[in-house]
DNA sequence: TTCGTCATGTAATGGGTTACATGATTAC
DNA sequence: GTAATCATGTAACCCATTACATGACGAA
């Protein structure tokens, strides 16, 4: 999850940890936020795995002074060739977990780097998942409506409307995708 | 979280684990689902803590046959006096975490058992949280709109609309609460 | 008799958060 | 010079999930 997001952002340009987190917030918006406590260890692991590497030879070295002192400044990471491969791989292997709430947003955020067929698969998977959830809530609501107090009821209905809204959104997106890439 | 939900459900009537999970789904709707892998250990802990207890003397003992065999059937739990206290306590101590996505739904689901002032506090806290999030997204969007690809942009905007919708919903709820319990 | 679903549980694992510690750099 | 924020990191913990194991019970 975090891994995919980091690879995706570094795919655009090298960044250091702190910056990465800002971009993460900006890219994922209201869907997800990560803390440094998960980001830095993750960067470490990804570096050990060889997917990212420290980016020297940066515009950072201007006066020569900072690098001369043993001080540790920003650590800028860039994607390695293996990292790019890994990213592509992660994007391609979109399975059932890709349409869960937390994952979907991250996948979607990198749709412009995703194969058109995979995009449609994810959008449809997500929609099916939501429709199934909606049916579950609806039928349970039909069975127990009278027994629920007004607050629980409001919660259910607001939830249902939210799901409906997202389904409609997804349907529009799917249609647009289809127009651009007609099914073979 | 799970704890609060379980206490809340058992507050209405004794239930066994399996049933509890169904009710959890029905009550929380699309907001949250729990697996048995977290439910059963949680029940165990709550029993050890003395908040819930096995409910014997149930309608279950009809023919006398099942209890005579050493077989272990359903384990029905009921709330103890301490459990009721704990529940009230949890409902009252509604702090900043109560307005986070995951917690809010659970709190809201038991609003009918919550003090009116606490209800308003939670609703307003949640609204403020969402408004703050919305401003964050908005300003970041204003700054970086041109640099974002169309997918990321759509994600942001859909997110923004969802937040807007929930804010409006909350505002209506708050107004209703206020009409019923005018501020002293 | 076998299939579905009811029912209870455990072990391993996952994927994060909070709180803390530290220090550099920038703006006032 | 001092406050804010930029910047990196660790340790302890939390709260759940997945996968697995087991078995009763009712309906076809």
């Amino acid at each position: 999850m975090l891994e995919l997001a980091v690879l995706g952002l570094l795919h655009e340009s090298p960044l250091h940890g702190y910056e990465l987190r800002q971009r993460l917030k900006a890219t994922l918006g209201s869907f997800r936020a990560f803390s440094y406590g998960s980001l830095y260890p993750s960067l470490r692991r990804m570096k050990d795995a060889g997917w990212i590497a420290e980016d020297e030879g940066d515009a950072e070295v201007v006066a020569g002074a900072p690098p001369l002192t043993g001080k540790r400044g920003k650590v800028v990471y860039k994607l390695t060739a293996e990292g790019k491969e890994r990213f592509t791989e992660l994007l391609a292997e979109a399975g059932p977990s890709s349409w869960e709430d937390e994952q979907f947003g991250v996948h979607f955020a990198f749709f412009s780097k995703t194969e058109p067929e995979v995009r449609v698969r994810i959008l449809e998977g997500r929609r099916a998942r939501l429709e199934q959830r909606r049916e579950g809530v609806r039928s349970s609501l039909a069975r127990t409506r009278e027994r629920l107090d007004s607050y629980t009821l409001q919660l259910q209905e607001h939830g249902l409307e939210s799901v409906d809204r997202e389904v409609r959104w997804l349907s529009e997106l799917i249609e647009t995708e289809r127009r651009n890439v007609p099914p073979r």
Side-chain angles (χ1 to χ4, degrees), chain A residues 24-73:
Chain A
L24 236 30
K25 274 202 283 196
T27 309
L28 303 178
S30 43
F31 288 97
R32 202 83 179 61
F34 295 96
S35 65
Y36 294 118
S38 55
L39 179 57
Y40 285 113
S42 177
L43 285 173
R44 176 84 197 259
R45 282 192 301 272
M46 293 171 72
K47 189 188 160 190
D48 290 348
W51 299 331
I52 62 177
E54 274 177 60
D55 185 22
E56 318 290 356
D58 199 23
E60 221 56 43
V61 191
V62 266
L68 284 178
T69 81
K71 300 281 180 51
R72 182 148 222 32

Side-chain angles (χ1 to χ4, degrees), chain A residues 1-6 28 32 34 102-104 106:
Chain A
M1 259 242 48
L2 219 194
E3 189 181 290
L4 174 61
V6 168
L28 303 178
R32 202 83 179 61
F34 295 96
E102 334 74 51
Q103 302 252 27
F104 174 73
V106 178

